Amino acid sequence: QPLKPPAQPVQISQPNHCIAQYNQLFLQRFSGRERQMAELMKDKMLELGFDEAVFDRLGNVIGTIHGKRPGKTILMDGHIDTVDVIDEAQWTHGPFSGEIADGKIYGRGASDMKGSDCAMVMAAGRFAAQTKKDFAGTICVSGTVHEECFEGVAPREVTKRVKPDFVIVGEATSTSIKIGQRGRAEVVVETEGVSCHSSNPEKGVNAVYGMMAVIEEIRKIVPNEHPLLGRGILELTDIVSAPYPGASVVPAACRATFDRRTLVGEDEAVILGQVEEAIARAQEKHPEIKARCYLATGTEACWTGDTISAKRYFPAWVVDENSELVVKARRGLEAAGIEAPLSHFSFCTNGSSFCGEAGIPTIGYGPSLESLAHVRDEYIEISQLTKACRGFASILAELTR
């Protein structure tokens, strides 16, 4: 079908072209090895008439289309890494085959989130062609690296370069609109003891017993609640003693990690302050306990040879449902015949950087179901993929009037 003017619902023609392009996106996988994916996206952007497509120092790919009239800068962002596959033999469809069956495309990253990456690139390119770039503002599409390791760290480089006024995070939303998410932090608690032979435990101090007392107090923390995001979470995810294995040795150290899902208004001081208070309560009961807490940090290598190093703290965010971005996005989707109920992400996304840190108005919109991320036989429905293409283009039409 011919493409229609932006005043009407935008139709993406030749959906099979989108599907064929999508299959190629399985060339590269996993965090830190996104080079072929980034190169493919860059080539496709230039082929579709983007004015510019570049890599930054971390390996993010950023494509830009300039409208003929002044206006705001809209960024559509999607990550191009995936989680690993540890059970390939148990997949019914090959995790890197891109196999099409029963109206679905199967493979690792199909839902999280190469389907959406493809839809954003195709929608932006076709919208530019349809309008002959006679729109207000600038459209950018970014394919960011290392999201599965650091939600929102690599996008900091994108924000510096693009300086967007609005951001659309293309994670799976079943093509509804997400207006917020809880944040995430990894809280580490360490206790210190005195090692000795386990046949004479009275000569030492068992760090694990100290940790048990601290954990007992941490479990008494009552998470805050938010009217949209719900209740915060503080959950123990791992614990290890040292030395390990402790062959006839009383452990001199113990470390526990907690997954802390945060709400808006909960910064590092709040997160660590609650745990420090729990440690203090444990020490009142057991003065011999030596303990501390801090936010975990991590370092990851990028395909460019550069590295990412950051705290594992990614703040929560919420945008007003009556804000310009939300209102216009809903209007665009409704014009395209797409229902757009409002909700929030249950997991952490790059929105932690764009909105939680930088304060840029941000929404989530993308194809497929949240529940299909990271699962065996991951897939995306072709109808969702093509619907998202139409939806992205319709949102762009409304935001660039």
Side-chain angles (χ1 to χ4, degrees):
Q1 301 177 20
L3 294 172
K4 299 178 181 180
Q8 304 177 46
V10 178
Q11 302 293 326
I12 300 299
S13 65
Q14 300 179 354
N16 287 335
H17 184 197
C18 183
I19 295 167
Q21 173 66 18
Y22 173 80
N23 278 331
Q24 297 180 52
L25 299 188
F26 287 99
L27 285 173
Q28 186 64 24
R29 57 212 188 207
F30 312 143
S31 303
R33 289 186 281 162
E34 305 96 340
R35 180 171 186 164
Q36 287 177 279
M37 175 70 177
E39 289 176 343
L40 176 63
M41 285 186 69
K42 177 182 177 182
D43 292 344
K44 194 64 186 179
M45 288 170 173
L46 296 175
E47 179 185 326
L48 289 169
F50 281 58
D51 295 308
E52 179 185 63
V54 298
F55 303 131
D56 64 20
R57 68 180 185 88
L58 300 180
N60 301 314
V61 56
I62 306 166
T64 303
I65 304 170
H66 297 292
K68 293 181 179 180
R69 291 177 278 120
K72 295 184 176 180
T73 297
I74 297 98
L75 171 66
M76 299 194 294
D77 172 75
H79 65 85
I80 58 177
D81 61 327
T82 70
V83 294
D84 207 337
V85 174
I86 59 175
D87 55 356
E88 184 169 355
Q90 298 177 50
W91 284 57
T92 304
H93 305 270
F96 307 108
S97 66
E99 181 181 347
I100 298 176
D102 301 321
K104 302 171 183 177
I105 305 176
Y106 286 87
R108 173 58 79 225
S111 185
D112 186 22
M113 59 172 290
K114 293 184 177 182
S116 191
D117 293 332
C118 178
M120 288 186 286
V121 172
M122 299 299 292
R126 290 184 178 278
F127 175 74
Q130 166 198 349
T131 60
K132 296 182 172 57
K133 299 183 181 179
D134 186 14
F135 61 83
T138 299
I139 296 169
C140 298
V141 180
S142 57
T144 48
V145 300
H146 276 299
E147 190 271 349
E148 298 293 359
C149 307
F150 292 117
E151 305 99 319
V153 177
R156 294 170 185 167
E157 296 294 317
V158 177
T159 298
K160 290 178 187 177
R161 184 181 188 91
V162 173
K163 298 179 175 61
D165 296 292
F166 297 131
V167 176
I168 302 167
V169 173
E171 293 272 10
T173 71
S174 299
T175 64
S176 64
I177 294 177
K178 305 294 188 182
I179 60 172
Q181 64 162 75
R182 289 179 298 192
R184 184 174 76 86
E186 291 184 22
V187 180
V188 178
V189 177
E190 292 182 346
T191 54
E192 180 184 346
V194 177
S195 183
C196 68
H197 198 287
S198 57
S199 64
N200 299 293
E202 70 281 357
K203 295 183 178 180
V205 177
N206 194 315
V208 174
Y209 294 152
M211 181 64 75
M212 291 168 62
V214 170
I215 290 174
E216 182 180 355
E217 295 301 323
I218 288 176
R219 295 192 67 187
K220 295 177 182 178
I221 295 173
V222 178
N224 296 322
E225 290 193 47
H226 185 273
L228 174 67
L229 303 180
R231 179 176 292 188
I233 292 174
L234 179 60
E235 186 68 18
L236 177 67
T237 55
D238 65 59
I239 185 168
V240 61
S241 59
Y244 182 86
S248 300
V249 177
V250 169
C254 186
R255 185 187 68 213
T257 304
F258 291 82
D259 184 345
R260 179 69 159 86
R261 299 291 161 154
T262 67
L263 307 176
V264 288
E266 293 185 327
D267 57 15
E268 293 184 41
V270 171
I271 296 165
L272 294 179
Q274 292 176 328
V275 179
E276 287 169 349
E277 290 175 0
I279 291 173
R281 292 196 300 269
Q283 289 172 328
E284 288 179 3
K285 298 176 181 178
H286 307 280
E288 73 280 4
I289 290 177
K290 294 181 180 180
R292 65 173 186 143
C293 66
Y294 57 91
L295 294 179
T297 59
T299 299
E300 300 287 344
C302 299
W303 67 263
T304 57
D306 213 319
T307 58
I308 294 179
S309 296
K311 290 181 181 178
R312 297 195 182 278
Y313 166 63
F314 316 102
W317 58 275
V318 171
V319 293
D320 189 337
E321 64 180 83
N322 296 313
S323 65
E324 179 184 359
L325 173 59
V326 176
V327 169
K328 288 187 174 181
R330 295 189 80 180
R331 187 185 302 157
L333 292 173
E334 288 167 2
I338 298 173
E339 293 186 11
L342 302 182
S343 60
H344 65 281
F345 286 114
S346 63
F347 54 81
C348 201
T349 74
N350 281 341
S352 287
S353 172
F354 296 121
C355 193
E357 292 178 351
I360 303 166
T362 299
I363 60 170
Y365 172 82
S368 203
L369 301 169
E370 291 185 22
S371 58
L372 292 175
H374 305 184
V375 300
R376 186 181 304 158
D377 283 320
E378 182 180 349
Y379 67 84
I380 186 170
E381 295 179 2
I382 292 173
S383 61
Q384 281 274 314
L385 182 60
T386 54
K387 179 181 178 182
C389 278
R390 195 159 44 91
F392 283 127
S394 299
I395 293 172
L396 292 176
E398 191 65 35
L399 291 175
T400 59
R401 290 195 187 285

